[in-house]
Amino acid sequence: MTRALILLRRRLVGSVFVLLIVVIGTFLLLEAAPGDAVDAYIVSTGGDAGMIELLRHRWGLDQSELTRLANYLWALLHLDLGQSVTFSRPIRDVILERLPNTLLLMVSATALSFGLGSALGIYAGARPGSARDRFLSIGSLALYAVPGFWLGLVLIVVFAVDLRWLPIGGIETLASDKTGLDRVADIAIHLILPVAALGFIYLALYLRMMRAGMAEAWRQDFVLAARARGLSRRRVVLAHVARNALLPLITMLGLQSAQMLGGSVVIESVFSVPGLGRLAQEAVASRDTPLLLGIILTSAVLVVVINLLVDIAYAFLDPRVGTGEAGA
């Protein structure tokens, strides 16, 4: 426990610097882009030079970049993400409205890809070189080569348009007034296609990693010793081969969280899911820089938290992890 706490403390200190770099880097990159929120607003509504000057003064865009960056960092210390010029509401409230949908999509897709991918990887790696191993390896490679948005469109055409088994998009039925378990079931049905489109791509990755790890573990001395002791093949596979091949997958779980978040942006747009991805799309279209900064910062915090949890899980699964840091 002490080793895990020391590891957690080191990671938390490092995470502060990571988030600071993300905020400053993103702010400067967005400032380097041409145009601002006032330009996007004037293009859609029209206005004269006086109105442009008034809006820039009201939204604080007439200040220097360093002044706005300093004001933004000071506001962040008070957990204030600022005001969205698009929604005319606090950015924190707008993000908190959309965040649960993105988290639900990400967690469901991660559970599908990690759980099913690992199970199929164990099934393929239990007998390397067999017909089922070749079939799953080729199938996973073909699945991994498919773009997520294309898979999503195919699923919509087949299951929502032709067969009419599932809804075409959205997070739940509009104006249905469903509550309790009926609403939970309605949301679950709406999430089947987005979760499948997002999860199947990463399922192939976990399957291939698990299979490759098991193929390597079969040649290790401890596996040969277990087989020499007369243990059943099932026990050797689950207790020795699969267990050791599972550790790299947990590391990949943390690294894939950022890509999963990026993939959800595309999937949310394809299936019209009102999450952070669609919100980021709206922020870019309206040049709402404070809102975009808030979304990127929230995404960075999510990735940091997931990687912290993965590090802690790894420390418990492998006693060697963090030993050097704890002794430092």
Side-chain angles (χ1 to χ4, degrees):
M1 180 63 73
T2 303
R3 182 169 49 85
L5 290 176
I6 294 175
L7 183 65
L8 178 62
R9 187 185 63 189
R10 295 285 178 90
R11 294 292 187 271
L12 283 174
V13 173
S15 300
V16 173
F17 290 101
V18 169
L19 294 177
L20 189 61
I21 292 172
V22 168
V23 171
I24 295 177
T26 306
F27 183 90
L28 296 178
L29 283 175
L30 291 176
E31 287 298 322
D36 54 23
V38 174
D39 295 329
Y41 182 82
I42 292 299
V43 167
S44 59
T45 63
D48 54 14
M51 185 175 181
I52 292 174
E53 185 178 357
L54 177 64
L55 287 175
R56 284 213 164 91
H57 178 71
R58 181 181 300 171
W59 294 344
L61 297 175
D62 56 346
Q63 300 174 342
S64 67
E65 293 180 2
L66 288 179
T67 301
R68 279 184 286 138
L69 177 59
N71 292 336
Y72 187 74
L73 292 176
W74 178 252
L76 280 183
L77 291 177
H78 300 83
L79 301 180
D80 182 10
L81 295 177
Q83 192 83 3
S84 168
V85 296
T86 304
F87 295 92
S88 300
R89 294 176 54 199
I91 292 173
R92 186 175 55 191
D93 295 346
V94 176
I95 290 178
L96 287 178
E97 279 183 4
R98 303 290 189 96
L99 184 60
N101 294 334
T102 297
L103 287 179
L104 190 58
L105 177 61
M106 278 186 60
V107 171
S108 303
T110 300
L112 171 68
S113 58
F114 186 81
L116 188 57
S118 301
L120 291 175
I122 293 174
Y123 184 67
R127 294 188 182 278
S130 62
R132 71 188 187 193
D133 176 32
R134 292 194 181 93
F135 173 77
L136 287 173
S137 297
I138 294 174
S140 63
L141 183 60
L143 188 60
Y144 191 62
V146 176
F149 73 92
W150 187 83
L151 180 60
L153 292 175
V154 170
L155 291 175
I156 288 176
V157 170
V158 174
F159 293 101
V161 177
D162 291 342
L163 300 176
R164 297 180 182 274
W165 288 353
L166 296 168
I168 198 168
I171 190 69
E172 60 182 320
T173 305
L174 295 176
S176 63
D177 295 329
K178 293 181 179 177
T179 58
L181 291 177
D182 290 339
R183 189 184 179 204
V184 172
D186 187 44
I187 293 175
I189 291 174
H190 279 78
L191 279 177
I192 290 177
L193 292 183
V195 168
L198 184 60
F200 279 167
I201 305 299
Y202 298 100
L203 178 151
L205 179 64
Y206 289 121
L207 189 158
R208 293 183 64 80
M209 283 194 64
M210 190 70 190
R211 185 264 169 202
M214 290 185 66
E216 178 66 25
W218 277 111
R219 295 191 288 268
Q220 300 298 320
D221 292 340
F222 65 91
V223 175
L224 297 176
R227 299 179 68 180
R229 292 202 303 272
L231 298 179
S232 66
R233 187 177 185 86
R234 181 187 183 89
R235 185 172 177 183
V236 172
V237 168
L238 296 178
H240 297 277
V241 180
R243 182 178 179 181
N244 284 275
L246 190 63
L247 290 176
L249 265 70
I250 296 177
T251 304
M252 183 57 66
L253 188 64
L255 297 175
Q256 285 292 326
S257 59
Q259 294 187 19
M260 185 75 80
L261 196 58
S264 68
V265 174
V266 178
I267 297 301
E268 286 176 7
S269 300
V270 171
F271 289 94
S272 302
V273 175
L276 281 186
R278 284 196 66 194
L279 187 61
Q281 187 182 21
E282 295 167 11
V284 170
S286 57
R287 294 285 297 155
D288 193 343
T289 304
L291 178 57
L292 196 55
L293 265 174
I295 295 170
I296 293 174
L297 178 60
T298 304
S299 303
V301 170
L302 276 178
V303 173
V304 166
V305 170
I306 292 173
N307 278 276
L308 278 175
L309 295 176
V310 168
D311 285 342
I312 294 173
Y314 211 96
F316 280 106
L317 291 173
D318 189 348
R320 295 168 298 178
V321 176
T323 303
E325 296 184 35

